[in-house]
Amino acid sequence: MQQQSANILFSDLFQIKDIDPSGKRFDRVSRLVARSDTYEMDLLLDYNSELYPLELNDKVSLVIASSLSLEAVKPETNGQTNDGSEAKVSWRERAPGERDLSDEYEYVMYGKVYRYDDVTKGSGAESGQHVAVYVSFGGLLMCLEGDYRHLQSIVVGEHVYLLMRK
């Protein structure tokens, strides 16, 4: 098993339960509904179905990362790695032969976290335990819902990468 990068904010394996539950609205875009067994998370995700075709019951590994760098990037140091050198944050700045996190995945999107909601029904001890994180990837939307402990490292206003592979 590979070592998990410090830039990875969330990682889990999801099984697709439904595709386009409200009907297909766009030619090249589909909305998937998926559930993870490990963290019991629910996922709604718009994706380009022409570039990355998926089917019911497919299992996909989904990662949300703050950077594609394989080096740990500290957010408070403006993109510097742990050893003090400047980390290349954008995938466009890669030198020939240089590897990053996207090399290990088949589908990558870049977006911004725009909402974080408490979705727990009722009040009391369970209030605040179940949350939903919303991310926009240039109009393709994602809602990731589950226990707050697995999503607490994702911050509203932060730019993130979504990486998927079958």
Side-chain angles (χ1 to χ4, degrees):
M1 184 156 216
Q2 69 183 25
Q3 179 182 358
Q4 185 166 324
S5 170
N7 301 328
I8 294 177
L9 305 172
F10 176 81
S11 178
D12 204 352
L13 184 66
F14 287 85
Q15 181 170 7
I16 298 174
K17 301 294 184 189
D18 199 359
I19 295 178
D20 294 321
S22 302
K24 189 137 175 92
R25 297 182 186 210
F26 301 102
D27 290 338
R28 298 181 184 120
V29 176
S30 288
R31 175 167 284 177
L32 67 81
V33 177
R35 175 99 175 142
S36 78
D37 291 329
T38 309
Y39 295 135
E40 297 180 349
M41 306 292 282
D42 291 311
L43 173 71
L44 239 65
L45 177 68
D46 297 339
Y47 68 100
N48 187 320
S49 55
E50 187 177 68
L51 291 176
Y52 197 61
L54 293 169
E55 296 182 16
L56 284 179
N57 296 317
D58 279 353
K59 290 197 177 203
V60 293
S61 173
L62 180 128
V63 168
I64 297 175
S66 58
S67 167
L68 292 178
S69 174
L70 295 175
E71 299 288 323
V73 176
K74 296 179 188 174
E76 67 275 1
T77 59
N78 280 336
Q80 288 190 344
T81 60
N82 288 334
D83 64 3
S85 63
E86 188 70 23
K88 294 183 179 178
V89 178
S90 172
W91 63 271
R92 296 178 186 188
E93 298 176 8
R94 286 189 353 184
E98 184 180 0
R99 296 187 48 80
D100 70 16
L101 202 53
S102 68
D103 293 325
E104 300 172 20
Y105 292 86
E106 301 164 342
Y107 186 74
V108 180
M109 293 193 291
Y110 180 72
K112 186 173 185 174
V113 180
Y114 68 91
R115 197 161 122 199
Y116 196 96
D117 279 345
D118 176 7
V119 293
T120 303
K121 309 290 188 269
S123 60
E126 301 235 347
S127 183
Q129 297 291 314
H130 202 73
V131 298
V133 173
Y134 298 88
V135 183
S136 175
F137 301 98
L140 298 179
L141 304 177
M142 178 191 82
C143 173
L144 184 59
E145 196 175 303
D147 193 300
Y148 81 96
R149 291 174 292 178
H150 308 301
L151 300 172
Q152 63 188 2
S153 58
I154 301 173
V155 179
V156 173
E158 180 178 38
H159 286 92
V160 295
Y161 293 91
L162 177 138
L163 303 102
M164 285 193 327
R165 68 176 167 222
K166 293 181 188 174

